Amino acid sequence: MTLILHRLPVPARLVDRGIDDLLVYRVPLTVRFRRIDVRDGLLLHGPAGWGETSPFWDYDAAESSAWLRAGLEGATSSLPDPLRDRIPVNATVPVVDPGQAHRIVASSGCATAKVKVADPRSRLSADCARLEAVRDALGPDGRIRIDANAAWTVDEAVAAIGELRRAAGELEYAEQPCPSVADLAAVRRRVDVPIAADESVRRAEDPLAVARAGAADLIIVKAQPLGGVRRALRVVEEAGLPAIVSSALDTGVGIGLAAHLAAALPRLDHACGLATTRLFTGDVTEASITPENGSIPVRRAEVDTSGVQTGDEELCARWAARLAEMMEALDA
Ligand SMILES: [Mg+2]
C-alpha cells in the first residue's frame, strides 16, 4: 500500500473562505511512530497555495479546529518574510533497537538527533543503549536531545535524565519530561540539562503558561496545532524563549509551511524537527522537501494531483464528517 489521494467536494463554508480544492491523503509510515502506522489528513488549496489540516484522531473538534485554521492560512494567506533560506534539521530516532538508531542517524546527514525515550514499550536500559548508538553515529560534536513525551514523574525524570545524559555523553535538552507545567519547573530546578516544553505549549489552553512559570529553557512550536504560522510566531514572541520548530508529522505541505515559520523567527539557534517526511513511505508533493546535508530549503510544496483516485469512501466520509465538526468549532 502506498500513498493515496482522494478528492472531497469543497463545503460551501470553505468555498466562501477561498478554498477551491480539497484532498484527503493517507500514507503508511516507515516505522510505527506516536502509536500510529498510517498518517492521514486533509490538504486544502486556495489562492496562496496548499495548506494542511491533519489533526490526529485522538484530538477532539475544538483542539482540531486550530489545525483547520492553519490549513486555511496556508491556502489563503501570505506568509511572513523569511530571514533565512535553509533550516537546519534534526534526525528523529523512534523507539528502535541500537543498530537501527545508528543507521537512521548515520544516513541522515544531520548533526543533531532527537531520540524518543520513556516509551511504555521501552526500558531505561534500552533507552541508554539507543543513546550510546546515536552518539557513536554522530560523533563527539553532534547534538543529542531526548523527548519523553510527558511520561515521567518528577523523581523519575531527575533520575532518568541523569542516566541518559551519561549514556549520551551530553544532552542538548530534555523535551517534556513530565505532563504538568509545575512538574516541568520542578525538574528544571533539579537537573543541569535544559528543559524544553512541547505538549505544554501546543496542547495547553494557554501556550504561554510555561514561559510565565519559568518551567522551560526552550519551547517547541508546531504550526498546525498553534493555528498556523503567524499565530505560532506570536507565541514565540510572547514567550520570549528560544524556539525549535517541529513538524506535527505533516506531509511536505505542512513541512513547507513550518519551514516558513522557522525562517521567520528572529533567532534560530537549534536544529528544527522538520526532517520527518523520512518517516513517510511517500509524499503528496511534486518534489519532496527532504533534508540535504542536515538542512531543508524554505519553500512551499505543490501537491501532485495526478495520483488522485476515487474509491475509499469510508476514509472520505470520516474526513468529511470531521471537517464539518472542525468548521463548527472554528466558527463557535
Ligand atoms: Mg515532543
Side-chain angles (χ1 to χ4, degrees):
M1 188 178 60
T2 52
L3 172 84
I4 56 170
L5 274 179
H6 293 283
R7 184 162 277 124
L8 286 185
V10 183
R13 276 151 92 174
L14 289 191
V15 173
D16 292 346
R17 290 173 180 261
I19 301 302
D20 56 26
D21 200 1
L22 181 61
L23 302 175
V24 178
Y25 74 84
R26 185 172 194 279
V27 59
L29 301 180
T30 54
V31 56
R32 190 172 173 82
F33 194 75
R34 208 194 163 278
R35 294 181 295 281
I36 58 171
D37 300 299
V38 176
R39 188 77 172 104
D40 56 350
L42 297 172
L43 301 167
L44 300 78
H45 186 264
W50 287 96
E52 176 163 352
T53 295
S54 47
F56 296 103
W57 283 101
D58 51 336
Y59 290 9
D60 67 14
E63 185 168 4
S64 301
S65 67
W67 300 59
L68 177 58
R69 191 188 293 281
L72 286 166
E73 179 199 53
T76 64
S77 304
S78 68
L79 295 169
D81 289 335
L83 304 176
R84 45 191 79 81
D85 60 9
R86 292 194 73 87
I87 306 299
V89 292
N90 63 269
T92 298
V93 181
V95 180
V96 293
D97 63 60
Q100 204 181 342
H102 195 284
R103 279 193 295 279
I104 290 171
V105 174
S107 66
S108 71
C110 297
T112 301
K114 164 165 141 168
V115 182
K116 290 279 186 184
V117 296
D119 186 272
R121 292 170 297 152
S122 185
R123 300 154 66 107
L124 187 58
S125 56
D127 289 343
C128 286
R130 195 176 317 113
L131 283 169
E132 285 167 11
V134 169
R135 173 58 70 197
D136 189 58
L138 274 181
D141 296 331
R143 292 190 191 182
I144 301 178
R145 52 184 73 161
I146 53 172
D147 187 358
N149 289 110
W152 289 317
T153 63
V154 173
D155 287 339
E156 284 168 354
V158 171
I161 289 169
E163 285 214 33
L164 294 167
R165 181 191 203 172
R166 275 190 290 282
E170 192 50 84
L171 289 176
E172 182 186 26
Y173 61 77
E175 183 173 325
Q176 200 74 39
C178 307
S180 77
V181 170
D183 285 355
L184 288 185
V187 173
R188 185 171 174 240
R189 283 192 294 272
R190 289 175 54 188
V191 300
D192 289 335
V193 173
I195 300 297
D198 177 15
E199 286 87 342
S200 289
V201 176
R202 73 184 148 86
R203 299 202 71 178
E205 295 269 305
D206 176 4
L208 297 172
V210 161
R212 272 199 302 274
D217 299 278
L218 314 110
I219 55 170
I220 313 297
V221 287
K222 303 189 177 179
Q224 278 206 68
L226 289 171
V229 171
R230 288 185 188 276
R231 282 178 177 241
L233 203 52
R234 216 175 312 141
V235 167
V236 176
E237 259 167 42
E238 290 174 16
L241 292 173
I244 292 107
V245 178
S246 227
S247 92
L249 212 51
D250 316 69
T251 69
V253 171
I255 296 289
L257 294 165
H260 279 81
L261 167 58
L265 291 175
R267 225 181 108 185
L268 187 66
D269 303 331
H270 302 270
C272 288
L274 298 177
T276 51
T277 50
R278 285 176 150 266
L279 295 168
F280 285 41
T281 53
D283 203 349
V284 299
T285 60
E286 279 166 3
S288 191
I289 302 178
T290 45
E292 255 174 66
N293 298 321
S295 69
I296 59 167
V298 178
R299 67 172 165 79
R300 302 189 55 141
E302 270 298 310
V303 174
D304 178 5
T305 56
S306 65
V308 172
Q309 351 171 338
T310 51
D312 197 335
E313 283 167 25
E314 191 193 326
L315 180 70
C316 291
R318 271 186 99 189
W319 275 104
R322 191 151 193 225
L323 176 60
E325 286 175 15
M326 287 189 280
M327 286 188 297
E328 283 298 325
L330 190 64
D331 290 339

